[in-house]
């Protein structure tokens, strides 16, 4: 599991897509959570890695050191680590079953602490092709503005899926 604590950006999108392409689970963290709430979310994820947008400083600083995984990369470190790496698909992408978990998307926590819901590759691809490809039908020349944060299910599955399906 890779925790992703980020505001919407190109790096955020690429980190999300790279995580799931590699067969890891993208744990979509709400950067508006602080203190014991974000610690709770981190404990549910059990992330081995956290990718951190420097703009999410407030959430990061309120997270207890015990809840942080051993490996934390901010976006600048992530980009530096990617420098010079091959752009070919790793072997794992050939055999990734559709039933594999792709995302943990958290509930809002309005009835208590947030809960992590699972989204498999199969479910994401169904949203991607069904809603994105058949219902929204974006063209490559279209622009889709997404005001929702990518940790929100509709932004992740409907909007990102529509953009990817539209080419």
């Amino acid at each position: 599991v890779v925790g992703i604590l980020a505001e919407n950006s190109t790096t955020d999108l690429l980190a999300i897509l790279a995580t799931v392409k590699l067969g890891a689970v993208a744990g979509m963290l709400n950067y508006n959570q602080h203190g014991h709430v974000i610690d709770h979310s981190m404990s549910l994820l059990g992330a081995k890695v956290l990718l951190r947008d420097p703009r999410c400083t407030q959430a990061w600083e309120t997270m207890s050191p015990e809840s942080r995984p051993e490996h934390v990369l901010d976006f600048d470190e992530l980009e530096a680590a990617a420098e010079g790496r091959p752009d070919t698909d790793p072997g794992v992408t050939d055999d990734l079953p559709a039933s594999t978990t792709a995302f943990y998307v958290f509930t809002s926590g309005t009835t208590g602490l947030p809960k992590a819901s699972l989204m498999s590759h199969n479910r994401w691809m169904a949203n991607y092709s069904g809603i994105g490809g058949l219902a929204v039908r974006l063209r490559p020349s279209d622009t889709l503005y997404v005001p929702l944060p990518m940790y929100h299910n509709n932004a992740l599955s409907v909007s990102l899926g529509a953009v990817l399906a539209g080419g």
Side-chain angles (χ1 to χ4, degrees):
V1 176
V2 176
I4 300 178
L5 179 64
E7 291 185 10
N8 291 6
S9 68
T10 304
T11 304
D12 180 31
L13 291 174
L14 294 174
I16 292 166
L17 294 172
T19 299
V20 297
K21 185 168 189 165
L22 292 172
V25 179
M28 306 304 297
L29 291 161
N30 180 340
Y31 52 79
N32 292 304
Q33 294 178 350
H34 300 112
H36 77 282
V37 179
I38 198 162
D39 285 348
H40 169 77
S41 294
M42 287 299 295
S43 73
L44 292 178
L45 288 182
K48 302 292 184 206
V49 176
L50 177 67
L51 304 180
R52 183 176 73 88
D53 181 342
R55 296 177 299 174
C56 298
T57 302
Q58 190 174 17
W60 168 254
E61 288 178 350
T62 66
M63 191 184 297
S64 69
E66 299 80 35
S67 69
R68 298 174 183 168
E70 180 181 348
H71 305 285
V72 178
L73 294 170
D74 72 26
F75 280 4
D76 292 336
E77 293 169 320
L78 181 63
E79 288 184 25
E83 191 70 34
R85 300 287 181 162
D87 61 1
T88 54
D89 288 339
V92 69
T93 62
D94 293 335
D95 300 319
L96 193 61
S99 60
T100 303
T101 301
F103 301 102
Y104 287 129
V105 181
F106 285 91
T107 63
S108 64
T110 55
T111 60
L113 289 170
K115 296 153 195 69
S117 65
L118 273 93
M119 184 186 301
S120 67
H121 283 266
N122 186 52
R123 181 172 160 215
W124 191 56
M125 292 304 290
N127 285 337
Y128 168 112
S129 59
I131 297 171
L134 298 175
V136 179
R137 297 184 309 208
L138 293 176
R139 296 179 305 270
S141 60
D142 290 332
T143 299
L144 180 65
Y145 176 74
V146 182
L148 295 169
M150 292 308 294
Y151 64 73
H152 192 283
N153 191 32
N154 283 336
L156 189 64
S157 60
V158 177
S159 301
L160 180 56
V163 168
L164 294 173

